[in-house]
Structure formats: C-alpha cells, structure tokens
Amino acid sequence: MNQEADNIQLERAENLLKQENWAQAHAVYLQIMQDEGESDQLLTKLGQTCFRQSQVEPAIDYFTRALALNSEAVEAHMGLVYCASSMGDIAQAVERCKHVLEFKPGYQPAHVMWASLLLPGAGYTEVLKHCHQKLKPKSYVEIGVESGKSLTLANPPTQCVGIDPKPQVVETISAPHKIFALESDIFFQQHDLLAELGCDHVDMAFIDGMHHCENVLRDFINIEKFSQPNTVVLIHDCVPLDTITSTRERNTNFWSGDIWKVIPCLKKFRPDLGVFTIPAAPTGLGLVVKLNASSTVLEENMEEALAYLRQLEFDYLDEDKSSKMSVIRNAWPSIDRLLPR
Ligand SMILES: C[S@@+](CC[C@H](N)C(=O)[O-])C[C@H]1O[C@@H](n2cnc3c(N)ncnc32)[C@H](O)[C@@H]1O
C-alpha cells in the first residue's frame, strides 16, 4: 500500500478510537500492519484496542512484541502497567511505572498512574466534597484557587473566601464567595478575614497555595487565629511520591513540593493538635483538627520550626512512614471519626 493510502487508514483508525469503536479500530490497525509490517507503534495500538475490549492476555502479547522492537516504547510499557493493574498485580504495575521513569524522568502519566496505584479510593476532591457535605461549614477559606475546581465543592450558604495571586477561575462557583488576587501572606496583612467572610470564625479551610512547607506553615498559623475548636483544616499534597516530585523547585509536571514536611512539624511542635494524613490521590491530604485560636506556640518557636523543616529530607519517610505521617485509612468511617460532630 502506498504512503497516502496508509495515512488514510491511520486517520480512519484514529477516528474510530475517538468514537471508542475499539473492535473496528483494532481491525484497521491489523490491516495496516499486514500491509506495512510490524512496528512498535502499531503493536501498541493493537494492544491498547485489545485492552479496551477487556482482552488482557492478547493485549499483553502485543505490548510485549512492541517492546521487543523498541525497549523504550513508553506507551507499550504503560499498556503493561494497565494490564498488571487490571489483574490486581499492583507491585508489578508500580515497578513498571518506576522503570519508565528511569528512561523518561518526569513522564507525567507514569507518575499519575503510580500515585493512583499507591493511593486507591476517593481522590482529594471527593474527600473535600465529603467534608463540605458532612460539616456544612458556615465559612470556608481556600488558599490556592486556580481554576476554581475545589471552590465549586463548597455549597450555599457557606460563605467563602478564596486567595490566589493568579486566580484563573473558569468554573461556576455556587456558594457566595469573594476571591482576592493576592499572595496569602499579603492577604492576611491587608485584610480582616472574618470581616470578609461576615462570620465569627473560620469553620473549614483548604490550603493549596504556594507549595513550600514554610508558606503552608504560615498559612496554617494565619488560619488558626480565626478558628474555633471544631474548625477543620485540610492541606493538599501531604503524601509525596518520590524525591523528584517533592523538590522545592518544580522539575516535573506531577509535583507536590515539600509540603509534606508540615505534618511531622505540626506533630512535633503542636502535640495538642489532631494531625493526620489521608492517602487520597494524587498527592494526599493533611487533616488538622482540635485547633486553638489562642495558641502562639508556632509563632514563638518559628526559628526552631523552620530549622526542623529545613533538615527534613525525603528519606525521613523511608521507615515508619505511616506513623510519622499519622496516615489514616482513606475510607469515610475513618475520616468521619476525626471530624467534629
Ligand atoms: C494547585 S493550584 C490550586 C488548585 C485548586 N485548589 C484546586 O484544587 O482546584 C495552586 C494555586 O496556588 C496559587 N498560589 C501560588 N502561590 C500562592 C500564595 N503565596 N498564596 C496563595 N496562592 C498561591 C497559584 O497561583 C495556583 O493557582
């Protein structure tokens, strides 16, 4: 077949994929391969179309043949990750994600898949939504708004304040809200949070702004001043995946910064707080309860707390991660037990 006819067939197969017509797309790719001979790309497409039809064994065979032609055929590796995962072999799926990242560092689909394999269950937005529904907070503060996705989870009549130096809200937010285009430190210097909320205290907060641990610590301190004993603070990105995705400066698309360090720091300096980690994909959620608006411990010990944060390295979590981070089960009964009634 000539190149032009070949391209037409490829385009036809792509359209069938878009229509999710896996069987027909498979047949077209098979025909192209018969005409043109094997290639790792075509074998990968055949594997993907088999997998989509729940034909896992043939899919594995195609992906393996693709890798025999090109050992770095990344989509074939990812195909095998999905196959292993669908057969419940999580360890093998994780190992293959790590292998892909060895020759393609920072490859986002491998990081995302690895994280979802390690953190099954509700994702962070589902947990946030659950907390809004359960707590029905009168007031809610969100640091780090971006598109507004997490702010849409607040329900009327919750009064919301969002803080983000570069908000890019595209979502429809149903709860009454004010968004301040400011860095959180500046917001707390310039505004009276309670006056902006029109409430006596903050009932619930979500910290998802600057991805550096000392910023998050300051955000927590600033929010706690306006808390009541039943206030719940959630902190995004408290379960780091690996070293490269938890550096302070961003090197990868999938990135949690070094926020996780705030969890052991709060546990050390504020044993009176309830500090937990929910292993919710993609990067976990810190959960802090039993706040005390009159506590000045963190501010008084700021230098020591900052020094503690600075010396923490990723390998601190190599052993005993679960107890160092007070990880709870990502299941509603485990989460609800910690929420105020
Ligand atoms: C990961 S996004 C937030 C996503 C959002 N919470 C969600 O789940 O849909 C992080 C946001 O934090 C904002 N940000 C960065 N530095 C900040 C700061 N110092 N104070 C507040 N927000 C900040 C960024 O502009 C960005 O929009």
Side-chain angles (χ1 to χ4, degrees):
M1 198 188 280
N2 64 32
Q3 189 61 46
E4 198 181 333
D6 196 22
N7 285 344
I8 290 169
Q9 283 291 72
L10 277 174
E11 206 178 308
R12 196 172 147 230
E14 289 296 322
N15 283 333
L16 287 164
L17 288 185
K18 279 186 202 138
Q19 293 159 24
E20 303 190 358
N21 189 339
W22 315 119
Q24 288 263 5
H26 185 88
V28 176
Y29 284 123
L30 256 189
Q31 185 61 54
I32 299 171
M33 199 163 77
Q34 272 162 19
D35 294 338
E36 297 295 319
E38 288 193 355
S39 70
D40 62 285
Q41 290 102 326
L42 285 172
L43 286 162
T44 301
K45 291 289 186 196
L46 288 165
Q48 289 168 337
T49 45
C50 279
F51 182 76
R52 291 295 198 157
Q53 297 173 84
S54 304
Q55 297 164 3
V56 179
E57 291 296 335
I60 292 174
D61 187 51
Y62 281 122
F63 291 135
T64 308
R65 282 164 64 191
L67 290 170
L69 294 182
N70 173 8
S71 64
E72 295 192 355
V74 72
E75 288 190 26
H77 277 294
M78 292 311 291
L80 286 176
V81 168
Y82 281 102
C83 290
S85 161
S86 75
M87 294 189 304
D89 192 342
I90 304 304
Q92 197 195 120
V94 167
E95 276 319 301
R96 196 169 283 276
C97 287
K98 289 187 189 173
H99 173 66
V100 168
L101 290 161
E102 276 166 22
F103 66 84
K104 214 167 163 51
Y107 182 61
Q108 191 180 17
H111 273 136
V112 171
M113 188 62 189
W114 179 9
S116 72
L117 290 163
L118 291 188
L119 308 180
Y124 84 98
T125 51
E126 283 171 86
V127 176
L128 265 178
K129 184 175 175 182
H130 178 80
C131 290
H132 275 290
Q133 286 171 348
K134 204 83 195 157
L135 298 171
K136 297 188 177 36
K138 284 203 177 91
S139 56
Y140 171 69
V141 178
E142 185 166 290
I143 299 180
V145 173
E146 204 178 44
S147 68
K149 188 176 87 177
S150 46
L151 206 45
T152 63
L153 305 170
N155 304 303
T158 300
Q159 296 288 334
C160 305
V161 158
I163 306 160
D164 190 317
K166 291 184 188 150
Q168 301 164 44
V169 177
V170 290
E171 305 283 344
T172 305
I173 299 160
S174 60
H177 62 280
K178 292 182 189 168
I179 293 176
F180 296 85
L182 291 170
E183 288 180 1
S184 52
D185 290 332
I186 309 284
F187 171 85
F188 287 107
Q189 281 162 23
Q190 294 182 350
H191 291 265
D192 176 346
L193 177 60
L194 298 185
E196 301 297 357
L197 284 167
C199 295
D200 295 339
H201 39 244
V202 173
D203 290 335
M204 177 172 159
F206 179 42
I207 301 177
D208 191 17
M210 182 68 188
H211 280 35
H212 285 171
C213 55
E214 66 276 14
N215 288 66
V216 174
L217 186 62
R218 284 199 302 274
D219 288 340
F220 176 79
I221 292 170
N222 282 324
I223 285 168
E224 190 180 29
K225 286 183 188 143
F226 304 107
S227 67
Q228 40 94 5
N230 280 345
T231 297
V232 171
V233 175
L234 293 142
I235 305 175
H236 201 197
D237 298 315
C238 288
V239 179
L241 186 62
D242 60 0
T243 315
I244 187 175
T245 60
S246 54
T247 49
R248 287 174 66 76
E249 302 319 319
R250 188 173 196 152
N251 298 308
T252 47
N253 280 325
F254 186 100
W255 179 60
S256 57
D258 64 352
I259 292 172
W260 65 271
K261 295 179 180 180
V262 165
I263 298 294
C265 179
L266 289 176
K267 283 177 53 147
K268 179 176 168 61
F269 288 89
R270 289 289 306 280
D272 54 315
L273 292 169
V275 183
F276 305 93
T277 307
I278 305 168
T283 47
L285 271 177
L287 170 66
V288 188
V289 292
K290 295 195 197 163
L291 276 70
N292 175 1
S294 58
S295 175
T296 51
V297 173
L298 290 169
E299 278 167 295
E300 280 165 17
N301 294 281
M302 199 54 163
E303 282 312 311
E304 226 184 299
L306 291 177
Y308 177 77
L309 289 171
R310 269 194 298 276
Q311 57 79 44
L312 280 178
E313 299 284 352
F314 185 76
D315 64 7
Y316 170 76
L317 300 177
D318 281 355
E319 277 171 30
D320 233 3
K321 178 175 178 179
S322 208
S323 77
K324 284 174 179 166
M325 298 295 282
S326 298
V327 178
I328 62 164
R329 283 187 62 231
N330 184 11
W332 301 139
S334 311
I335 296 168
D336 290 350
R337 241 194 313 276
L338 300 171
L339 298 179
R341 283 161 217 286

